[in-house]
Amino acid sequence: MSVVTDKLSPEDLLEESHLSDPLDYPRKRASIACEICRSRKSRCDGARPKCKLCTELGANCVYREPTLKIDAGDKLILDRLSQIETILQQRLVYTPTATPSPHAAVGQASPVIFSEEMQARLAHANLINGARVFVTNTPNPVTNVSAMPKSHSTPALHLLDWPVIKDLASKSSDPQVLMQLEMARTPLDLIPQTSIHALRQDLHLYSRSFFDGVNNWYAIVNPNNWHECLRAADKLEFKDGTESCMVLLVGALGAAAHSGSISYVQRSNRPPGLEYFCHAYSILPKLTLRNNVSSVQCHILAAAYLLYLVRPLEAWNLLCQASVKLQLLLAHPNVIQSDVGELIERVYWNTLLIESDLLAELDLPHSGIVHFEDNMSLPKVFPFDATDNAERQGKDDLWYFSAEINLRRLLNRVSHTIYADAFKPERSRPDDFLNLVGPTANELDSQLDQWYESLPAGLKFTRDRAAARDDTQTVLRLRYFACRTIIFRPYVRVVLADRWMANKEDVLDACRICLDACIRQIEDIPAHHAGHLPYLWQGVLSITSQTLLLMGATLSRPLRKLLPPQKQVDAMIQGVILEVERLSHLAPSLQRCAEILREAEDRRIEQLRTS
């Protein structure tokens, strides 16, 4: 379903608002002079479709849309209605626009029905803003709320603006601070110290490591034609062409997976895979001038390796180049139906996922790739002809990738509907704010449950504390609880600002859900090592925000009752601080997180001692 608007005349607007509006809105007079009469400063008779003067002049008669001045009380009501409209639009967007393959449906919740009551509420909300609304059966959503908003308060350091928590740290919480730190860091040394000839002997080993431990996260390299790509690169002596660049980047990521987390590499040693990356990077400038899907694929692989090195800003730079190329390709109407359609879909979703992850924590410009989302189906399995003497390097596993796409879209909806700048708790009383956030949070939590229930058996982690079967289950479980935490986090903020709000049972229940999910992410820090390759930087920022949230809760009498015993909480907080300090040398942004957490813990202990 979608919404079609039909503008009203000023007279119709006042008449319909009088008939349908249950509230007593002030009746404001709207000007009905057309633009020609306004410019000539002459009296307009308001005749439709043309006034008398425009008829005489043979001019195009255009009426300006009516504007209604509203007072503070009206503004609060309109804000309330706008939030209802956002919820309803979000329901529309969540309805799938294409029928994906069984692989592509992983982790996707069922469509939500748009009820007649909600249609009426949406119509009423838009009527107040000067437009008549009709609901049709056209599957064209009003707006895309599965995209990261351009300004939002989701990032970890925004918690330093919260009541109670802001007293724990003196470090800057400006949204730009992490990006400024990353921009000022020392550039990566990209001069190779090993010849390609010496690197070739380990390519087969690292290729296996890539398909066993990397491609499941990104699903971007076709295992069915890998040997063909390897032979093409070998003919070029790995010095030119997209095949050479791709093989070298696969070698870099494979070496990274083979060696384990970069956090355990000696600082004096060069990171695993860097020699392969250096040689690949020398080819990449030539690919920058090409506009084909293989060039975009290489840029995504290079960005993935930079994320492994915990260099988010450099990864974003390459991602922007990939996005521009991809948008040029997607402008062609039949590109998805071409022989590279499956690869383009995977490259697209990788670009969108990585960009969304970075935008969730850094104040970066948007590349515009999200505008194509409604026209993209979820990825399908690469075709494989078993009769063509083809060799498979590994399996083409889309289960995790498809589940991650849908979870990331849900995380974006959380940021869009709860943390966008227009939706700030300090702008209204706690009761008014919770009346707005409550329906949204409950709907998002319901969608998160739908996502979980639709996971296939191989990915479906247990929500208790039983050990996960493998790394993909571990990562999905951590991201599940991260999503649940930020859905209900506004309730904790409200109680930190006014502890008497905890007397409301629904508020206290929401805080309990949030804090339980928060604890599930930081009680077992070694579990985060499972996603060290794609999510190390993002994971550190996540546990930083959860720890700040937990610190604030320990200083609130009503929230403290929802937590485990104090010694257990103190041990969890100390474990996070030690882990972030251990990783702080990897990036200046992580160094800042370590400093903030250490200072916050010192101040928290002092406050508990003196309270």
Side-chain angles (χ1 to χ4, degrees):
M1 294 184 178
S2 67
V3 175
V4 181
T5 61
D6 179 20
K7 297 297 180 183
L8 299 174
S9 68
E11 296 85 356
D12 290 341
L13 174 68
L14 295 176
E15 179 181 353
E16 285 214 21
S17 65
H18 174 72
L19 293 175
S20 62
D21 190 355
L23 301 176
D24 186 18
Y25 288 98
R27 306 300 188 243
K28 303 289 197 296
R29 174 176 295 179
S31 174
I32 58 174
C34 72
E35 294 293 340
I36 296 294
C37 292
R38 286 178 185 273
S39 64
R40 296 170 64 94
K41 296 184 178 179
S42 60
R43 183 180 298 277
C44 181
D45 61 8
R48 304 296 178 104
K50 280 191 175 184
C51 69
K52 182 178 179 181
L53 178 61
C54 290
T55 302
E56 293 173 353
L57 296 176
N60 185 22
C61 190
V62 178
Y63 287 91
R64 182 180 301 177
E65 292 299 327
T67 58
L68 302 179
K69 294 183 179 180
I70 58 176
D71 57 25
D74 294 333
K75 179 65 166 59
L76 180 60
I77 295 171
L78 294 182
D79 286 344
R80 179 84 173 272
L81 291 170
S82 177
Q83 295 303 326
I84 294 172
E85 180 182 1
T86 297
I87 296 170
L88 301 177
Q89 290 175 351
Q90 180 269 327
R91 285 175 173 268
L92 280 173
V93 171
Y94 202 66
T95 303
T97 57
T99 303
S101 65
H103 253 46
V106 176
Q108 186 165 7
S110 355
V112 181
I113 303 301
F114 198 42
S115 69
E116 292 182 3
E117 178 186 357
M118 291 177 183
Q119 294 176 19
R121 293 172 74 182
L122 177 59
H124 179 67
N126 279 274
L127 174 63
I128 301 305
N129 289 307
R132 182 187 280 113
V133 177
F134 299 96
V135 178
T136 71
N137 292 321
T138 309
N140 181 26
V142 178
T143 184
N144 185 357
V145 293
S146 292
M148 286 297 299
K150 293 199 173 178
S151 184
H152 59 95
S153 58
T154 315
L157 294 194
H158 273 280
L159 271 74
L160 298 177
D161 291 330
W162 283 26
V164 178
I165 298 177
K166 65 183 178 182
D167 298 328
L168 297 179
S170 61
K171 296 289 184 182
S172 172
S173 61
D174 185 278
Q176 292 275 345
V177 66
L178 294 186
M179 190 169 70
Q180 291 168 357
L181 289 169
E182 291 297 327
M183 289 177 66
R185 71 187 297 182
T186 305
L188 189 62
D189 180 8
L190 294 174
I191 300 176
Q193 298 181 3
T194 307
S195 67
I196 289 182
H197 177 74
L199 296 174
R200 291 169 72 173
Q201 60 185 355
D202 291 326
L203 266 176
H204 287 286
L205 170 64
Y206 293 148
S207 295
R208 286 196 297 272
S209 296
F210 175 87
F211 285 102
D212 289 342
V214 181
N215 210 36
N216 57 304
W217 305 115
Y218 299 102
I220 196 173
V221 179
N222 188 347
N224 302 333
N225 64 7
W226 172 248
H227 292 285
E228 180 182 341
C229 181
L230 195 59
R231 286 190 289 268
D234 189 56
K235 288 181 180 179
L236 295 170
E237 298 183 343
F238 302 94
K239 294 180 179 179
D240 195 18
T242 54
E243 294 88 355
S244 298
C245 188
M246 189 183 310
V247 168
L248 290 168
L249 289 170
V250 165
L253 287 163
H258 185 77
S259 301
S261 174
I262 192 174
S263 64
Y264 293 109
V265 176
Q266 293 291 331
R267 301 189 194 186
S268 57
N269 296 342
R270 283 170 71 83
L274 184 59
E275 295 304 314
Y276 290 98
F277 182 80
C278 290
H279 286 288
Y281 197 79
S282 66
I283 303 173
L284 209 56
K286 301 176 185 177
L287 304 187
T288 302
L289 302 178
R290 301 185 187 179
N291 292 311
N292 54 46
V293 67
S294 297
S295 172
V296 182
Q297 188 180 17
C298 288
H299 280 78
I300 296 296
L301 288 168
Y305 183 76
L306 289 170
L307 289 176
Y308 163 74
L309 294 183
V310 200
R311 289 188 167 261
L313 205 56
E314 287 96 323
W316 176 79
N317 284 324
L318 288 178
L319 197 72
C320 286
Q321 296 182 45
S323 177
V324 170
K325 294 177 183 299
L326 192 54
Q327 291 181 62
L328 288 174
L329 289 171
L330 291 174
H332 193 282
N334 298 318
V335 67
I336 299 299
Q337 283 72 43
S338 67
D339 56 351
V340 295
E342 291 87 355
L343 180 56
I344 285 180
E345 289 174 346
R346 297 182 188 223
V347 168
Y348 174 84
W349 289 113
N350 269 289
T351 305
L352 187 66
L353 289 176
I354 297 174
E355 181 181 81
S356 296
D357 284 344
L358 294 174
L359 291 175
E361 298 294 349
L362 294 177
D363 190 8
L364 295 165
H366 291 226
S367 74
I369 194 66
V370 72
H371 298 307
F372 293 87
E373 182 180 351
D374 291 335
N375 299 321
M376 297 296 296
S377 61
L378 293 176
K380 298 176 284 293
V381 176
F382 281 126
F384 176 70
D385 187 359
T387 64
D388 195 26
N389 296 323
E391 294 180 79
R392 274 181 173 159
Q393 178 65 32
K395 60 182 179 179
D396 186 19
D397 192 348
L398 280 174
W399 296 112
Y400 173 85
F401 188 54
S402 297
E404 177 61 23
I405 289 171
N406 285 293
L407 183 58
R408 181 69 256 178
R409 295 181 72 195
L410 177 55
L411 283 162
N412 288 356
R413 283 197 289 277
V414 174
S415 294
H416 201 109
T417 56
I418 295 182
Y419 293 93
D421 264 6
F423 197 62
K424 286 192 173 181
E426 60 268 23
R427 293 179 180 175
S428 59
R429 295 179 306 167
D431 279 331
D432 296 327
F433 174 71
L434 291 179
N435 286 336
L436 293 177
V437 78
T440 308
N442 291 333
E443 170 61 25
L444 291 167
D445 190 47
S446 174
Q447 292 187 16
L448 181 61
D449 281 337
Q450 291 179 49
W451 172 85
Y452 172 78
E453 294 300 335
S454 65
L455 291 173
L459 288 182
K460 200 165 191 178
F461 51 86
T462 60
R463 287 185 277 194
D464 56 23
R465 287 172 168 80
R469 192 187 69 177
D470 53 27
D471 287 353
T472 53
Q473 281 194 2
T474 300
V475 170
L476 284 177
R477 181 159 61 183
L478 288 170
R479 289 174 73 76
Y480 167 86
F481 283 113
C483 184
R484 203 156 199 225
T485 301
I486 64 172
I487 287 174
F488 290 101
R489 206 166 67 184
Y491 286 92
V492 175
R493 188 196 189 283
V494 167
V495 174
L496 289 176
D498 181 0
R499 67 190 181 102
W500 299 108
M501 291 299 295
N503 292 331
K504 296 178 178 289
E505 186 176 350
D506 58 335
V507 173
L508 201 62
D509 287 342
C511 290
R512 181 181 289 106
I513 293 172
C514 175
L515 293 172
D516 285 347
C518 173
I519 289 170
R520 293 299 303 277
Q521 295 166 78
I522 63 176
E523 65 183 356
D524 183 16
I525 290 301
H528 289 266
H529 298 168
H532 74 90
L533 200 147
Y535 297 124
L536 191 151
W537 180 78
Q538 186 184 2
V540 173
L541 291 176
S542 178
I543 62 175
T544 296
S545 66
Q546 314 312 340
T547 306
L548 289 172
L549 187 70
L550 191 59
M551 287 178 176
T554 64
L555 298 174
S556 167
R557 182 171 298 176
L559 294 178
R560 192 185 310 150
K561 298 177 182 178
L562 305 178
L563 300 175
Q566 182 175 334
K567 287 186 177 180
Q568 185 179 343
V569 173
D570 291 347
M572 284 189 282
I573 292 174
Q574 190 62 27
V576 172
I577 294 174
L578 292 175
E579 177 70 2
V580 177
E581 287 178 339
R582 189 180 70 82
L583 301 172
S584 62
H585 69 281
L586 296 172
S589 52
L590 302 190
Q591 176 67 37
R592 174 56 62 91
C593 289
E595 294 167 355
I596 288 172
L597 288 176
R598 176 56 69 184
E599 180 189 23
E601 177 61 357
D602 291 343
R603 293 191 176 193
R604 184 186 76 93
I605 292 173
E606 182 61 26
Q607 286 193 32
L608 288 174
R609 183 181 296 117
T610 57
S611 64

